Amino acid sequence: MSQSSSSQVPQIKSRLGAILRATSGNFLEQFDFFLFGFYAQDIAKAFFPAQNETAALLNAYGVFWLGALMRPVGAIVLGSYIDRIGRRQGLIVTLALMALGTVVIAFCPSYASIGIAATIIVLIGRLIQGFSAGVELGGVSVYLSEIATPGNRGFYTSFQSSSQQVAIFVAAVIGFVLREAIPGDTFLDAIGGGVAKWRIPFFIGCLIIPVIFMLRRSLEETPAFLAMKKHPTPSEVFASALENWRIVILGMMIAVLTTTTFYFITVYAPGFGKELHLSASGTLLVTLLVAVTNFIWNPVGGALSDRIGRKPVLIAIASLSFVTAYPALSWLSHEPTLGKLLAVQMMFSFYFGVYSGTMLGCLVEIVPAHVRTTCFSIAFALAAGIFGTSTPFVATKLIAMTGQDKASPAYWLMFGAVLGIIAALIVYRGGQTIEQRETVAA
C-alpha cells in the first residue's frame, strides 16, 4: 500500500492520552473475563446445574471456552472492518459489543428462575463477548504500534497487555473486599433484594461502561492509517489473509504461550487454589499481586526486545517455561501453602509479562501492513480461542485424568512453550522475519 508523506496528515496530539483511550476497552474485556473465571463455581451453580460440582464447573468453563471460539470469527469480520474503515471507529464498535455481553451476563436470571433459558442466554452473552474480543486486542495492538515512536514499537504495544492487568487488579480488589465484608461460604447467598453476591462485581463493570465509551469516542485516528491512499475492501482483506495463512499460523503458535500462561495465572488461579485447598481470600491476594507484576514485566519485555531483538527474548522465555513448569507445580502441589503459590505465580508472571511484551511487537511486525489488524487478530484469536481460554477447562480435566496430579496443568504450558520455540525459529530464520525475507526476494 502506498502512503503519502506523514506531514500531510494530522499527528497524534498526546501519545499518553492515546494509549489510555485505546487500552480502556481492554480493561472492560479483561475485567469481565477475570470475574467469570474467579466466580466460575458460583456461576456454575447459578446457570449450569449438574450432578456434581466438578461437572457443573466443567460446564461453566466449557461455555467460557465456547465464547472464545467466536474470536476467530470476530477477527475476520471485525478485522476487515477496521482495516477498511479505520482504527478509531472499529474500536468503538468492539467496545459496544463487549459492553452488551457484560450486561447480558450481569442481569440474566438464574437457572432456578427460568430454567434452561438462563444457560442459553449466558452462552449468547459469552458468544457476543468472544466475537468482540476477537479483534479488540488486535485492534488495540495495531493502534499502539502505529502511534509508536521509532525504535519503541515493542514498548508501546506492550501496554495493550498491561492494561488488562489493571483490570485484573481492580477485579481482584473488589472480590477481596466483598469476600471480607460480606460473610458467607458462597457468593450464592442472597443479600438485600435477593441479589446474589457474585453479581455485584458484574454490576460494577456495567457502571464502568459509560466512562470507557467517553474515552473511546475521543480517540484519534492513527497517522499511519490516514496516510494510506487506498484502504482494502472486505474481499481484498479476506484474500490477503488467505494468502498469508502461513504467517497467521506461525503468529498463532508464537502467541499460544502468552495466552495459556495468562489464563493459568489469572482466570484459573481461583480454581487452582481450591484444588490445592488454599483459602479463597489468600488466593485472591496472590492473584492481585500477580496483576501488579504482570503490569510491570510487560513493558520491560517490550523495551528489552526493542533493544536486543524479539527472537532471543521469545526463545529464552519459552525455554525457561518448558524446563521449569512441571518442577515448579510439583513443588507447589506437595504440601501447598500460600507462600509457595505466590512464588510459583511470580515466576509464571515474569515469563508471561516479558514474553507477552515481546510477542505483541513480533506479531505486528510479521503481518502485512495493509491487513495488519485482520491478520494480527486472527493469529491471536486462534491462540486465545483454541488454547488460552481453554486453559481452565484443560487444567481441570488434566488433574481429573491423571488421578489428581495437581502438577499436570504444566503439560499444557509446556506444550505452548514448544510451539513458541518452533515458530520463533521459523519466523526469524537467518535473522530476518518471513515478511522481510519475502520482500528482499521480490
Side-chain angles (χ1 to χ4, degrees), residues 16-275:
L16 177 59
I19 291 173
L20 292 174
R21 293 182 182 94
T23 57
S24 60
N26 280 179
F27 177 94
L28 177 64
E29 178 200 359
Q30 205 53 57
F31 182 84
D32 187 69
F33 273 33
F34 176 76
L35 290 179
F36 195 101
F38 183 72
Y39 301 121
Q41 283 135 352
D42 304 294
I43 291 174
K45 294 175 184 177
F47 300 114
F48 311 103
Q51 293 180 342
N52 59 70
E53 185 174 330
T54 299
L57 186 59
L58 284 172
N59 287 338
Y61 283 147
V63 168
F64 183 79
W65 187 15
L66 284 174
L69 293 179
M70 284 294 290
R71 284 184 179 227
V73 180
I76 295 171
V77 176
L78 296 176
S80 64
Y81 176 79
I82 292 178
D83 279 328
R84 179 171 57 91
I85 299 299
R87 318 309 188 203
R88 175 186 178 277
Q89 186 62 35
L91 290 177
I92 292 175
V93 171
T94 62
L95 177 58
L97 291 171
M98 181 60 64
L100 176 60
T102 299
V103 171
V104 167
I105 294 174
F107 290 93
C108 179
S110 67
Y111 187 94
S113 300
I114 60 174
I116 192 64
T119 304
I120 295 173
I121 291 171
V122 169
L123 174 59
I124 291 173
R126 286 290 303 134
L127 293 177
I128 293 172
Q129 287 183 321
F131 183 75
S132 169
V135 81
E136 170 69 24
L137 301 183
V140 171
S141 297
V142 168
Y143 185 94
L144 295 177
S145 74
E146 291 183 348
I147 68 169
T149 54
N152 293 299
R153 177 176 282 170
F155 179 71
Y156 271 73
T157 54
S158 70
F159 282 98
Q160 178 268 102
S161 185
S162 288
S163 66
Q164 298 177 348
Q165 315 316 314
V166 177
I168 293 170
F169 180 85
V170 173
V173 169
I174 292 173
F176 180 79
V177 170
L178 287 174
R179 281 199 180 277
E180 294 298 310
I182 304 175
D185 295 330
T186 169
F187 265 38
L188 279 175
D189 293 339
I191 59 176
V195 178
K197 297 181 199 174
W198 67 265
R199 292 186 187 270
I200 296 175
F202 285 89
F203 292 155
I204 294 174
C206 292
L207 294 176
I208 296 173
I209 291 173
V211 177
I212 298 177
F213 261 112
M214 290 177 61
L215 291 173
R216 273 278 169 94
R217 288 192 62 181
S218 60
L219 192 66
E220 301 169 83
E221 187 55 81
T222 69
F225 182 83
L226 292 174
M228 290 182 182
K229 292 183 177 180
K230 183 181 183 300
H231 300 134
T233 65
S235 60
E236 290 173 336
V237 172
F238 297 150
S240 184
L242 286 174
E243 290 173 4
N244 291 280
W245 66 269
R246 190 160 67 106
I247 294 177
V248 170
I249 295 301
L250 289 170
M252 176 202 74
M253 292 171 64
I254 289 175
V256 167
L257 182 58
T258 290
T259 60
T260 52
T261 305
F262 175 73
Y263 281 96
F264 180 79
I265 63 178
T266 56
V267 175
Y268 179 62
F272 191 51
K274 187 172 183 179
E275 288 280 359

Side-chain angles (χ1 to χ4, degrees), residues 360-426:
L360 293 170
C362 166
L363 285 192
V364 169
E365 292 169 346
I366 67 175
V367 297
H370 65 290
V371 287
R372 184 173 282 154
T373 304
T374 303
C375 289
F376 182 111
S377 297
I378 293 174
F380 196 89
L382 288 171
I386 299 174
F387 301 97
T389 48
S390 66
T391 297
F393 180 90
V394 172
T396 303
K397 199 70 174 176
L398 281 172
I399 291 174
M401 290 173 60
T402 56
Q404 296 302 306
D405 178 7
K406 303 298 193 303
S408 60
Y411 298 135
W412 190 236
L413 302 179
M414 293 166 67
F415 173 67
V418 170
L419 291 182
I421 293 170
I422 293 172
L425 289 174
I426 295 173

Side-chain angles (χ1 to χ4, degrees), residues 275-441:
E275 288 280 359
L276 298 173
H277 306 291
L278 299 174
S279 72
S281 296
T283 302
L284 187 55
L285 280 176
V286 170
T287 306
L288 189 153
L289 293 174
V290 164
V292 174
T293 53
N294 285 351
F295 180 87
I296 295 171
W297 289 123
N298 264 281
V300 169
L304 180 64
S305 69
D306 284 333
R307 301 297 176 267
I308 69 173
R310 319 288 185 216
K311 179 182 178 180
V313 180
L314 292 174
I315 292 179
I317 295 298
S319 299
L320 282 172
S321 181
F322 180 82
V323 170
T324 61
Y326 191 84
L329 291 185
S330 294
W331 174 70
L332 170 60
S333 59
H334 179 67
E335 299 182 357
T337 65
L338 286 174
K340 284 186 174 182
L341 178 64
L342 176 62
V344 171
Q345 292 286 72
M346 288 295 104
M347 181 189 75
F348 283 125
S349 172
F350 170 75
Y351 293 164
F352 160 74
V354 175
Y355 189 92
S356 176
T358 303
M359 179 275 301
L360 293 170
C362 166
L363 285 192
V364 169
E365 292 169 346
I366 67 175
V367 297
H370 65 290
V371 287
R372 184 173 282 154
T373 304
T374 303
C375 289
F376 182 111
S377 297
I378 293 174
F380 196 89
L382 288 171
I386 299 174
F387 301 97
T389 48
S390 66
T391 297
F393 180 90
V394 172
T396 303
K397 199 70 174 176
L398 281 172
I399 291 174
M401 290 173 60
T402 56
Q404 296 302 306
D405 178 7
K406 303 298 193 303
S408 60
Y411 298 135
W412 190 236
L413 302 179
M414 293 166 67
F415 173 67
V418 170
L419 291 182
I421 293 170
I422 293 172
L425 289 174
I426 295 173
V427 167
Y428 291 101
R429 189 176 70 251
Q432 292 180 313
T433 67
I434 288 177
E435 187 180 22
Q436 289 171 335
R437 291 198 297 271
E438 292 179 346
T439 300
V440 171

